Amino acid sequence: LASFLRRKQGIAPMEACDCLQGTREELPNPIHDGVDVVITAISGTPAEYINSYFVFFLCGAFILSYFIVRRFMATVAWGPLLALVAAISIALSSFNVMHVLTGHYSHSLVLLLAWAGALASLLMAPSWPRALVVGVVHGASALYNPYYGYFSGLIYAAIVAYYVLYRRTEAGRIALHLVVSIILALAVLAVAYGEHLQTLMGVHDQVVESRFNRSPAALGGVMPYMYFLPSPLHWLAPSVYSEWFSRAIVITNVPESAVYLGIVNLVLYSSGLLLLWKGRFNPQEVFWFRLTLWGAIVTFALSLPPFIPVGDGERVYWVTYYLHQLLPMFRMYDRMGVMVSLFVTAGSVIALHY
């Protein structure tokens, strides 16, 4: 709202950190700034501004999800239905809805979904032009939300590992294409962040909690059961569940804990796991469903808290703690929950197709 009011008055918008911390600066966000300029221009009041973002979040994710799945299911008789289920699941996902409701407008899924569609196209038919498209869209997605760009890079590593396990003859080619995509994405970021590159390269030399060197104490993760527990305000939740949830579940960061996968996704994906176990899928379906399972497991693991208590005040450090040592500007690994949702939705579509 501060951004909206300042733009309407012809003043440069304040960065979020200027408003909240005062001492910590953020990277420039040209793509989000462009979206914000357009939404501000079409909005006459703060209420219209908020509602426009809500429409952008939901409709943008719905339309893009629908057409991406529709494209891959073009020869399937039930393609439109499959695309509709995927679009509803993603657009109305807990992550998408909660982040727009809490004003996290740089968390729109539009560019992330464009990257996911480009990546799926590359994996299905590897080619250099498609690798270049993945790189450009990856760079744009990282500009809009650096977390999405970072998480996408981690997913590349997981995909290469999967190919090494299940399609070793293709692993080298896929890895090479993804390396080119990463280089191109980094080039996009280097152009946008030119004046900040030296700062980012020397991030470990900065004082903790200044600029981009965040404290390990600020690391965030989501408790695993949050993927399976609907909100106490869910329309199907009985009062006894709502009362139990309110007493038993402690949530310190509500937006980042909104990772519930949804009844439809949970039922369909569970049926897919059963079909996989029973050997009902054809070889192609087995490969792609296993990829969604692998991706869901990896991203689920990366979304967990960085410390695991083991009693008597002792704790075990999780993998995200060590990732933070390498890239201390990233602290909210619970946001990886959106990647879990994408993989589970993709697997649910495969199961429903069967």
Side-chain angles (χ1 to χ4, degrees):
L1 288 178
S3 170
F4 170 78
L5 294 173
R6 288 171 68 88
R7 285 192 193 280
K8 285 298 186 184
Q9 295 168 8
I11 307 173
M14 295 182 294
E15 292 184 354
C17 283
D18 292 333
C19 304
L20 301 178
Q21 282 94 7
T23 59
R24 189 182 300 135
E25 70 176 63
E26 289 187 332
L27 294 171
N29 198 331
I31 296 181
H32 179 246
D33 285 347
V35 172
D36 195 65
V37 166
V38 172
I39 289 183
T40 299
I42 64 176
S43 306
T45 66
E48 291 177 359
Y49 177 76
I50 295 172
N51 291 338
S52 296
Y53 261 111
F54 194 79
V55 172
F56 172 66
F57 263 62
L58 268 63
C59 292
F62 179 90
I63 293 171
L64 203 55
S65 302
Y66 179 86
F67 282 106
I68 288 173
V69 176
R70 188 71 184 90
R71 179 189 170 219
F72 291 120
M73 297 288 180
T75 60
V76 177
W78 291 93
L81 175 62
L82 297 173
L84 183 63
V85 170
I88 293 174
S89 295
I90 292 172
L92 297 181
S93 64
S94 298
F95 184 96
N96 196 40
V97 173
M98 182 57 75
H99 277 283
V100 68
L101 289 178
T102 50
H104 292 180
Y105 294 153
S106 63
H107 286 71
S108 168
L109 301 182
V110 171
L111 285 173
L112 179 64
L113 290 169
W115 165 81
L119 177 62
S121 180
L122 172 65
L123 296 179
M124 290 182 176
S127 69
W128 291 116
R130 293 187 179 191
L132 297 178
V133 171
V134 171
V136 171
V137 180
H138 184 180
S141 176
L143 279 179
Y144 192 85
N145 188 311
Y147 275 92
Y148 292 166
Y150 171 47
F151 293 161
S152 299
L154 294 177
I155 286 173
Y156 290 160
I159 288 174
V160 171
Y162 178 78
Y163 270 80
V164 169
L165 290 173
Y166 293 102
R167 283 189 181 177
R168 187 164 299 179
T169 57
E170 299 179 28
R173 181 173 59 158
I174 292 296
L176 194 57
H177 280 89
L178 292 179
V179 166
V180 170
S181 297
I182 289 178
I183 292 173
L184 188 55
L186 290 174
V188 172
L189 294 175
V191 172
Y193 296 157
E195 61 185 276
H196 295 267
L197 287 181
Q198 186 174 357
T199 300
L200 291 172
M201 295 299 290
V203 66
H204 292 91
D205 298 326
Q206 298 171 18
V207 177
V208 175
E209 278 302 301
S210 64
R211 298 171 73 85
F212 307 115
N213 192 354
R214 308 305 299 274
S215 167
L219 279 170
V222 65
M223 299 306 293
Y225 48 75
M226 295 304 297
Y227 286 98
F228 310 100
L229 293 180
S231 161
L233 300 179
H234 195 286
W235 64 286
L236 289 178
S239 58
V240 63
Y241 169 79
S242 300
E243 294 172 2
W244 168 83
F245 190 102
S246 301
R247 290 196 310 268
I249 306 301
V250 177
I251 300 175
T252 57
N253 192 326
V254 173
E256 312 304 350
S257 297
V259 294
Y260 172 57
L261 294 171
I263 293 174
V264 172
N265 265 344
L266 289 173
V267 170
L268 288 177
Y269 203 77
S270 297
S271 68
L273 292 173
L274 181 62
L275 292 169
L276 180 67
W277 180 56
K278 293 287 189 180
R280 301 293 181 84
F281 286 142
N282 64 43
Q284 281 292 97
E285 290 170 333
V286 168
F287 178 80
W288 295 115
F289 189 85
R290 276 181 178 167
L291 178 58
T292 70
L293 178 59
W294 175 262
I297 291 173
V298 170
T299 52
F300 172 84
L302 290 174
S303 72
L304 298 179
F307 312 110
I308 302 175
V310 292
D312 296 328
E314 299 293 327
R315 56 189 181 184
V316 175
Y317 293 99
W318 190 235
V319 61
T320 49
Y321 175 83
Y322 298 101
L323 287 173
H324 181 263
Q325 302 301 303
L326 296 175
L327 297 168
M329 66 283 289
F330 296 106
R331 66 182 183 89
M332 302 302 295
Y333 283 90
D334 31 21
R335 291 174 182 168
M336 185 67 86
V338 67
M339 299 298 192
V340 179
S341 180
L342 292 183
F343 278 113
V344 169
T345 300
S348 297
V349 169
I350 295 172
L352 183 59
H353 172 236
Y354 177 87

